[in-house]
Amino acid sequence: MVQVTGDDPTWDRYDPASARTGRAPMPRSAAQPPEQALQGNLFGAPEPAADPPPPPRTRSDQVATARADLTDASLSADARQRPRQRRQRDAETTPASDPSFDHSNEAGDDDRDDGSDTPVWAHHSQVDPLQLTPMLRHYVELKAAHPERVLLYRLGDFFECFFEDAIELSRVLELTLTGKEGGKAIGRVPMAGIPHHAAERYCADLIRRGYSVALCDQLETTPAKGALLKRDITRVLTPGTVLEEGMLHARRNNWLAAVVVEAAQGTRPFRWGLAHADVSTGDVQVIEQTGSAGLHQQLSQLEAAELVWAAPPEESAVPAWCPHGLRLTPMATTPFSRPEAEASLRQHYGLANLDGLGLADRPLALRAIGGLLRYLRDTQPLNDGLCVPLEVPQIVHSGDALILDAQTRRNLELTSTQRDGLLQGSLLWAIDRTLTAMGGRCLRRWLEAPLMDRRQIEQRQALVSTLVEQRSLRQGLRRLLRSMADLERLAGRAGAGHAGARDLVAIADGLERLPQLAGRLNGGLGSHDQNTSATDRYPDWLRDLCAPDPTLAELAQAVRHALIDTPPLSLSEGGLIHDGVDPLLDGLRNQLDDQDAWLAEQERLERQTSGNANLRLQYHRTFGYFLAVSKAKAASVPDHWIRRQTLANEERFITPELKQREGTIFQLRARACQREYELFCQLREQVGAMAAPIRQAARAVAALDAECGLAEVAATSAWCAPTISDGRELQITAGRHPVVEQLLVERSFTANDVHLGQGIDLVVLTGPNASGKSCYLRQIGLIQLLAQIGSWVPAEATTVGITDRIFTRVGAVDDLAAGQSTFMVEMAETANILHHATDRSLVLLDEIGRGTATFDGLSIAWAVSEHLAGDLQARTVFATHYHELNNLAAERPNVANFQVLVEETGDDLVFLHRVQAGGASRSYGIEAARLAGVPAPVVQRARQVLDQLAA
């Protein structure tokens, strides 16, 4: 802020009215003729003459000035002598009868005649666009084209929104709701805004809340004469299409899904095709099946950020096959038609025909991926020359992976806890030792889709075993992986034209590490497998790491040659490109160096001319170049200096020659920055064109990181390598729960054995409440799952037969939204198991029939057990308090009884958590209630009632 002393003759008198309008008077240079004044030199017009002398002061003014007694009494007396009138609202400019005037923007709350608490003009459809200002008219036109999205409109340094978007954003983001003049007939309309430099942070918050955002940015810096600044939608951000790092979860995929359904007609079943893509990593998968229940289950497992579908015009409600809470985005049916879908596929992948995609016999999946690509194109309105790089669609066949339904994922707590939905306490949290974001995503995908092919399982396990045994190799690889960037997503941003200079440097750094990884792998694996080819024993993707693509090293060298090591965040202010890269840029920089030399010489000459050795020639982003001198030296400056600004401790001056040279410097600097940006864009396009091979290498690096992480947890937690079998056996010696074992601090975990599939198909497990039956069930399922992702397992020895599905029915929950009680949910889950389980399935049941009458529940549990052991012969562990089920072992040879041991010492009950053969006769429910803190009188009365019932 400029500070002016009252006795400085070089400044005009301060006028409050001028200050409010932004036209504060400029300082005059000392003792300068009119032709040397600032305005005269810079703008061609002479400075106005000196202000006329002030009018003579009146007697009252003199008395008021001379009065020294300014006590409260004297001031009150002065107010009575000269009363001040309250300012009235101008009736002509703000008529009370005008319904468009928003009083809430002026003072207090808005008193609406209709009793509504919303501001006036709460929706853009309420106004006549012809009565709006040109800028707001353009906003309403864009909003009408994107009614379902929040429209952020760039105005100067802010992104503003109006009408219903302003009201919504002020509520969601806790912004101040203000107003803007919308036109003489409209009055003020609601407005809220965010700073443009913080737009990513606010947009990330909106995306997490499920909103879609349309960004309308400025397309030019200077408008045409008499026209508005040109603006248009430059980006549409939706939960499934974001690429920005700050809007994505680093260690999980962000799926955008599209679905096409055909309702059942006559004997033809319900059919559906599903396509899902992670726009940030390029992964694309398609699947086509029948049955609405299967679609519901698939969408529940996918947990897509956004689901696009061809909504029939007559259907407005959420379809039954859509899981609760999934963000559903309806689209027109045209993009999902067969011709439009085929055109979208040909355009995106640059194909003459679609025969190579293998989708000819999957018409619904083809239409789904076509609609998805059209949706992606619509969200990049100004990037006609660029498209988000996506891999060729991968067809998912039934039987490719172990099936885990939503209930099993929730009960086994694979990626989040059942109670709080947190990562900590889940299986992923317990085993994730990955060092890169792409490695974390890879490990999550492995957990969500375990393998069914024995060869692939053993190949993964072999690499884990090698890394466990060779500690130096494992640690060397992890040191290289530790600082590697997310090449998958960086390549995607480069291909879409959104990468910054630091993103390209991170890509180059990652690509430069590929030969180092190859050297360590070839040395370590070659010495370990002298008689076996690594390509046969280990996964196929290891070949890409052992022999990296040389073109990637050339690309990294090109990036290093062009970009400096630590480029700035901004792409438009220069400082990105090395010297010697481009002759034109070097020429501009040479000219700028010459100008810098002139400035240094000019500073020396002005010091000599003024005799001021402390003079400094400086630069300010707003005021440009200037000569700064202290207050004491300001009175003796040369005559050709022009005062530019006065501060508290110094005066700033300019000279005509300095101002003229400033324009030349600005022009050279702008050309140099523009040239740097052009060179950077060319380099970014070069990197984007290599997105596919970069991602191929990145996926191999991610898989290696996941393998190293599994080897690290196996080596440090005393796990063993399971033996994979084609049979049905599940033999676990001293198995442990991988999560609970890590959470125990004061005592060690009690290991237990499991023997299923060889003579025994059903284990009836009995024992007290809170004795560890549920933990025992879950650890069996987790060991089976870990074995099928190729990992070692927490046990002393294990033989695992490959299973096709894992079913769990654990705990008691209800589904009030669907109108189902706890018992109905339990029966629905049980029915799903009985309909889909096979002799290759693993079934883990914790209580069936407890939500109804005793004999009804016992009857259901007995019948379910007989069906599982007899008709299905599924490998099953059934934990129950129905001790009568122990009698099944005497009737069926493939049923065995096991119990969880406890130790009674007087009135105390000690849980041993040890499972051994035999059936329990008591559940010790009253003792468990006492340990849980139930009041003693209640416990005593319960014992009395139990004795009466037993008698």
Side-chain angles (χ1 to χ4, degrees):
M1 179 178 292
V2 179
Q3 299 181 2
V4 186
T5 56
D7 57 352
D8 190 344
T10 66
W11 284 84
D12 288 338
R13 185 179 303 277
Y14 175 76
D15 182 7
S18 299
R20 285 194 299 269
T21 57
R23 296 189 296 271
M26 297 295 295
R28 299 191 303 276
S29 56
Q32 294 295 322
E35 63 270 16
Q36 295 297 325
L38 177 64
Q39 283 87 349
N41 280 276
L42 295 182
F43 306 108
E47 187 182 25
D51 289 346
R57 303 175 70 186
T58 64
R59 175 65 179 169
S60 60
D61 293 333
Q62 297 174 4
V63 173
T65 304
R67 183 182 298 163
D69 186 13
L70 296 180
T71 62
D72 293 350
S74 61
L75 292 175
S76 299
D78 179 57
R80 288 192 295 270
Q81 292 176 6
R82 295 182 297 170
R84 301 179 65 85
Q85 299 296 324
R86 177 170 178 163
R87 294 181 60 184
Q88 301 294 327
R89 188 183 299 273
D90 189 351
E92 295 182 359
T93 58
T94 57
S97 60
D98 186 358
S100 66
F101 180 74
D102 186 0
H103 298 275
S104 63
N105 290 314
E106 295 296 328
D109 296 332
D110 180 22
D111 295 330
R112 299 281 299 274
D113 294 338
D114 57 2
S116 173
D117 60 350
T118 59
V120 178
W121 309 123
H123 199 274
H124 74 278
S125 61
Q126 296 175 341
V127 299
D128 182 2
L130 298 178
Q131 295 181 339
L132 290 169
T133 60
M135 185 276 294
L136 281 176
R137 188 181 309 129
H138 184 224
Y139 177 91
V140 169
E141 291 173 356
L142 294 176
K143 182 62 181 176
H146 299 270
E148 73 285 358
R149 299 187 174 104
V150 175
L151 176 59
L152 296 179
Y153 194 88
R154 180 73 178 271
L155 290 177
D157 291 337
F158 283 81
F159 277 107
E160 306 283 5
C161 55
F162 305 93
F163 303 105
E164 68 271 24
D165 286 349
I167 298 172
E168 184 69 7
L169 254 67
S170 67
R171 180 186 64 84
V172 173
L173 301 180
E174 298 182 359
L175 304 176
T176 300
L177 181 64
T178 61
K180 184 176 182 62
E181 189 64 32
K184 180 178 290 187
I186 300 297
R188 297 178 69 83
V189 300
M191 179 180 75
I194 58 176
H196 78 93
H197 60 79
E200 181 174 342
R201 176 168 62 87
Y202 284 103
C203 288
D205 195 358
L206 291 173
I207 294 298
R208 281 193 295 268
R209 296 171 184 266
Y211 291 89
S212 296
V213 181
L215 291 176
C216 177
D217 211 339
Q218 299 171 172
L219 303 182
E220 57 185 4
T221 57
T222 304
K225 186 176 181 180
L228 284 174
L229 199 65
K230 188 176 181 181
R231 301 179 179 88
D232 205 348
I233 302 292
T234 58
R235 185 79 192 280
V236 176
L237 300 173
T238 71
T241 62
V242 292
L243 292 168
E244 286 71 15
E245 182 179 3
M247 301 185 189
L248 293 168
H249 194 294
R251 290 180 169 267
R252 66 180 302 170
N253 287 95
N254 191 69
W255 296 112
L256 169 68
V259 65
V260 174
V261 299
E262 284 187 356
Q265 291 184 355
T267 58
R268 190 184 69 181
F270 180 93
R271 299 173 56 219
W272 53 273
L274 177 66
H276 54 276
D278 186 340
V279 180
S280 63
T281 64
D283 294 318
V284 183
Q285 295 180 348
V286 295
I287 183 172
E288 181 170 329
Q289 290 184 5
T290 60
S292 60
L295 176 58
H296 187 281
Q297 196 69 252
Q298 187 71 28
L299 292 174
S300 299
Q301 297 173 20
L302 187 62
E303 295 181 346
E306 185 178 6
L307 176 63
V308 182
W309 77 301
E314 67 280 358
E315 185 170 348
S316 59
V318 176
W321 47 260
C322 181
H324 177 71
L326 181 62
R327 178 175 174 80
L328 196 61
T329 302
M331 279 185 66
T333 57
T334 302
F336 290 92
S337 64
R338 182 72 179 257
E340 288 286 336
E342 292 179 348
S344 297
L345 282 165
R346 286 194 297 267
Q347 178 182 354
H348 187 89
Y349 292 107
L351 302 175
N353 61 74
L354 305 180
D355 296 341
L357 298 181
L359 297 175
D361 57 343
R362 292 174 174 82
L364 298 186
L366 185 149
R367 292 166 56 190
I369 185 62
L372 186 146
L373 293 176
R374 173 62 178 273
Y375 183 72
L376 278 180
R377 190 166 70 247
D378 291 344
T379 59
Q380 310 287 329
L382 295 185
N383 290 351
D384 293 335
L386 295 173
C387 59
V388 178
L390 297 177
E391 301 296 320
V392 173
Q394 177 184 357
I395 301 175
V396 178
H397 303 275
S398 58
D400 288 348
L402 169 63
I403 299 176
L404 299 166
D405 56 33
Q407 292 79 15
T408 299
R409 294 168 186 265
R410 182 178 65 250
N411 292 331
L412 293 182
E413 300 181 315
L414 297 185
T415 58
S416 61
T417 58
Q418 187 173 3
R419 180 176 180 179
D420 301 319
L422 301 177
L423 173 65
Q424 184 174 2
S426 66
L427 176 63
L428 180 61
W429 168 80
I431 68 171
D432 190 356
R433 300 290 189 275
T434 57
L435 299 173
T436 67
M438 50 190 176
R441 292 194 301 272
C442 178
L443 182 59
R444 177 186 284 264
R445 289 195 299 269
W446 287 1
L447 280 182
E448 293 175 339
L451 297 173
M452 291 285 292
D453 185 89
R454 178 178 176 180
R455 177 177 175 272
Q456 294 180 358
I457 295 173
E458 290 178 339
Q459 285 179 336
R460 279 189 194 172
Q461 188 189 115
L463 184 54
V464 172
S465 300
T466 300
L467 294 172
V468 170
E469 296 164 4
Q470 297 196 49
R471 182 171 178 268
S472 60
L473 173 62
R474 182 178 78 249
Q475 292 184 342
L477 292 173
R478 285 172 65 82
R479 279 194 296 269
L480 290 173
L481 292 169
R482 187 176 300 279
S483 57
M484 183 169 285
D486 194 342
L487 296 181
E488 270 188 315
R489 285 180 169 170
L490 290 176
R493 285 206 288 272
H498 295 160
R502 295 185 181 182
D503 293 334
L504 299 192
V505 171
I507 291 176
D509 181 73
L511 296 180
E512 288 172 345
R513 292 173 183 266
L514 295 180
Q516 302 177 48
L517 289 173
R520 286 193 173 273
L521 287 171
N522 290 326
L525 301 181
S527 61
H528 185 268
D529 301 296
Q530 297 180 359
N531 299 323
T532 305
S533 173
T535 58
D536 295 334
R537 186 182 179 197
Y538 299 124
D540 296 338
W541 49 261
L542 199 60
R543 301 173 186 172
D544 296 330
L545 287 180
C546 292
D549 188 347
T551 59
L552 297 180
E554 297 173 0
L555 180 65
Q557 184 178 3
V559 174
R560 291 295 191 190
H561 174 70
L563 294 181
I564 66 174
D565 293 337
T566 56
L569 287 173
S570 175
L571 302 179
S572 60
E573 298 180 1
L576 304 172
I577 307 297
H578 275 300
D579 291 332
V581 174
D582 180 68
L584 176 58
L585 178 60
D586 290 347
L588 290 170
R589 286 177 171 174
N590 289 337
Q591 291 295 319
L592 286 172
D593 290 343
D594 294 342
Q595 298 299 329
D596 290 340
W598 182 89
L599 291 173
E601 178 64 17
Q602 190 71 9
E603 183 182 48
R604 187 190 65 80
L605 291 176
E606 293 295 348
R607 284 179 177 176
Q608 182 179 352
T609 303
S610 64
N612 185 356
N614 294 325
L615 177 146
R616 302 183 310 278
L617 196 157
Q618 296 179 324
Y619 173 77
H620 190 276
R621 293 176 63 93
T622 302
F623 300 110
Y625 290 96
F626 58 87
L627 301 167
V629 298
S630 63
K631 284 281 191 179
K633 300 289 186 177
S636 59
V637 300
D639 293 342
H640 67 283
W641 285 19
I642 304 171
R643 179 175 278 106
R644 183 68 178 88
Q645 188 182 21
T646 298
L647 301 181
N649 299 318
E650 70 176 25
E651 296 279 352
R652 294 177 175 179
F653 297 86
I654 60 173
T655 66
E657 189 176 9
L658 180 62
K659 205 65 182 176
Q660 180 181 2
R661 191 60 66 107
E662 178 186 278
T664 302
I665 294 173
F666 285 171
Q667 184 180 10
L668 289 171
R669 190 174 296 164
R671 290 184 61 190
C673 292
Q674 178 63 26
R675 182 58 182 166
E676 284 199 66
Y677 181 71
E678 292 172 357
L679 293 172
F680 170 77
C681 290
Q682 295 173 9
L683 181 64
R684 183 168 61 186
E685 291 179 7
Q686 181 182 355
V687 175
M690 295 286 289
I694 293 174
R695 280 177 165 168
Q696 183 178 357
R699 291 188 180 96
V701 172
L704 178 64
D705 189 18
E707 295 265 14
C708 288
L710 292 174
E712 183 72 16
V713 69
T716 57
S717 303
W719 289 13
C720 73
T723 300
I724 306 301
S725 167
D726 289 326
R728 299 177 59 248
E729 65 269 29
L730 177 57
Q731 311 294 329
I732 302 174
T733 302
R736 309 184 303 276
H737 194 293
V739 181
V740 177
E741 182 181 27
Q742 293 189 29
L743 295 176
L744 292 178
V745 178
E746 297 181 355
R747 64 181 187 274
S748 60
F749 188 89
T750 303
N752 287 294
D753 300 341
V754 177
H755 301 283
L756 283 174
Q758 287 187 332
I760 301 298
D761 293 324
L762 172 64
V763 169
V764 177
L765 181 64
T766 53
N769 299 97
S771 59
K773 296 191 301 297
S774 296
C775 178
Y776 180 74
L777 291 177
R778 288 185 170 96
Q779 81 183 36
I780 295 172
L782 294 180
I783 289 175
Q784 176 78 49
L785 186 146
L786 286 171
Q788 289 193 225
I789 69 170
S791 172
W792 284 23
V793 297
E796 292 183 0
T798 307
T799 300
V800 176
I802 298 175
T803 185
D804 58 353
R805 296 188 67 156
I806 298 178
F807 293 96
T808 62
R809 215 236 61 78
V810 179
V813 295
D814 55 23
D815 190 354
L816 298 179
Q820 291 186 335
S821 65
T822 302
F823 183 70
M824 285 300 297
V825 171
E826 176 184 318
M827 289 298 99
E829 294 177 356
T830 304
N832 177 63
I833 295 172
L834 298 180
H835 283 304
H836 298 97
T838 68
D839 63 340
R840 306 287 302 191
S841 301
L842 176 62
V843 181
L844 306 172
L845 302 176
D846 185 6
E847 300 296 350
I848 288 181
R850 302 297 294 182
T852 185
T854 302
F855 291 111
D856 288 352
L858 174 59
S859 302
I860 294 173
W862 191 293
V864 168
S865 301
E866 286 185 337
H867 188 70
L868 288 170
D871 299 337
L872 299 179
Q873 293 187 346
R875 294 169 297 173
T876 306
V877 180
F878 185 3
T880 181
H881 289 288
Y882 289 130
H883 303 120
E884 293 82 356
L885 294 181
N886 289 327
N887 297 326
L888 277 173
E891 299 180 4
R892 294 182 177 271
N894 63 341
V895 177
N897 296 326
F898 281 78
Q899 61 176 323
V900 183
L901 298 181
V902 295
E903 185 177 281
E904 291 184 87
T905 57
D907 293 335
D908 292 333
L909 189 66
V910 179
F911 299 112
L912 301 179
H913 306 294
R914 186 176 299 115
V915 177
Q916 73 173 22
S921 59
R922 294 181 57 190
S923 293
Y924 300 95
I926 297 177
E927 284 71 14
R930 180 182 61 81
L931 293 175
V934 174
V938 177
V939 174
Q940 184 62 31
R941 177 56 181 161
R943 289 195 176 112
Q944 295 173 2
V945 174
L946 178 62
D947 292 339
Q948 295 173 5
L949 294 176

